[in-house]
Amino acid sequence: MLAGKRILLVIGGGIAAYKSLLLIRLLKGAGAAVTPVLTRAGAEFVTPLSVSALAGEKVHQALFDLTDEAEMGHIQLSRVADLVVVAPATADLMAKLATGRAEDLASTLLLATDTPVLMAPAMNVRMWQHPATQRNLAMLLADGVRLVGPDQGEMACGEFGPGRMAEPEAILAAIEAALSDGPLKGRHVLVTSGPTHEPIDPVRYIANRSSGAQGTAIAAALRDLGAEVTFVSGPASVPPPAGVRVVRVETAQQMLAAVQAALPADAAVMAAAVADWRVANQGAQKMKKDGSGRAPALEFAENPDILATVSKAAARPRLVVGFAAETEHVVDHATAKRARKGCDWIVANDVSPQTGIMGGSENAVVLISDAGAESWPRMGKDQVAKKLALRIAEALQNS
Ligand code: C5P
């Protein structure tokens, strides 16, 4: 799939640099050529010898290298590739590119290149969450930089949270998506998926049975057509697809904030089963039986409607797609929902128990749009996802 493609791989200074050695092997295995660039800090974690031995090419390290300049100037070096990949992308490299600094070979190449850039951030969770990094990230995304990861999990520094570099397989999938000539190449699509969890107290929550299967299949299908996908997921029971930017949330309020932070997007597909209500009188401590036999009274507050909010947003995606799970009068209810929420399409389905759709692998949907209601035959959720992704690509091409 990557035969004939050249990747300029910038390896920054982080413990995740060892994963970049695996990435080089995967890239070579997929038929790509790799031009490696190692920053000074990167060379503290992996050796130039390992990098060049795996890449089968010279590793570039210094901005003022007479031999390099005689053979191929750094400006030219920045343009030989089909894609520039920064892995690990440290907070420092992100800050340099966001603010246009060019003080070493890596930052100069990033500023001089006219080739798309894909970053795989890796840093301590606090560094990732710091407002400065998030500001830089927003600027980089607005400049068209693509992102893979970071993942959430145990970190080398002993802390837990977002900041782990995406796994080499996921970076490879993102590289393939970035280089694919699919109809969604260069488009950013936002997908919400999974249930939300609404806490009752620190140990209990209210949830629903959404598995996240349909949303995950849609994100993968959009990725396969070349889209850059931001996947905002509640606690789903199926794992997120590789090669998309995953933002994990728990509550509806967190999902709304994550969705707003991910805009602008060309299209949004809101497949999440968002809880309509949250507990207004959440316990700060675990609620206890008091021996009186009286059950606690939960009070509820209405959650924000994410689909309706995005449909009205100043940065509204050109195409907003909502879902409607109904148990009767599917077309009538979904048509009314489309008008009420202000979205462009509603993908409606009948989830009454006898259909076996909820939690099953098949789906039978009706697509409601300006043009009316179009029934699709019953098919696998993956097929529904592929068909929907193609329709989204068509709609974006025609608008
Ligand atoms: O109102 P209802 O839940 O039936 O609408 C379903 C659609 O609205 C889905 O696309 C779902 O993702 C979205 N939704 C939302 N925020 C809510 C409730 C639903 O985005 N609070």
Side-chain angles (χ1 to χ4, degrees), residues 192-194 252 255 269-277 302-310 321-326 337 340-341 343 345-347:
T192 68
S193 184
M255 187 173 276
V269 182
M270 316 298 260
V274 184
D276 289 330
W277 308 93
E302 197 168 334
N303 267 330
D305 191 312
I306 303 166
L307 176 59
T309 309
V310 166
V321 182
F323 278 71
E326 306 289 349
K337 190 166 286 177
R340 197 166 64 242
K341 305 239 184 186
C343 57
W345 298 352
I346 284 271
V347 180

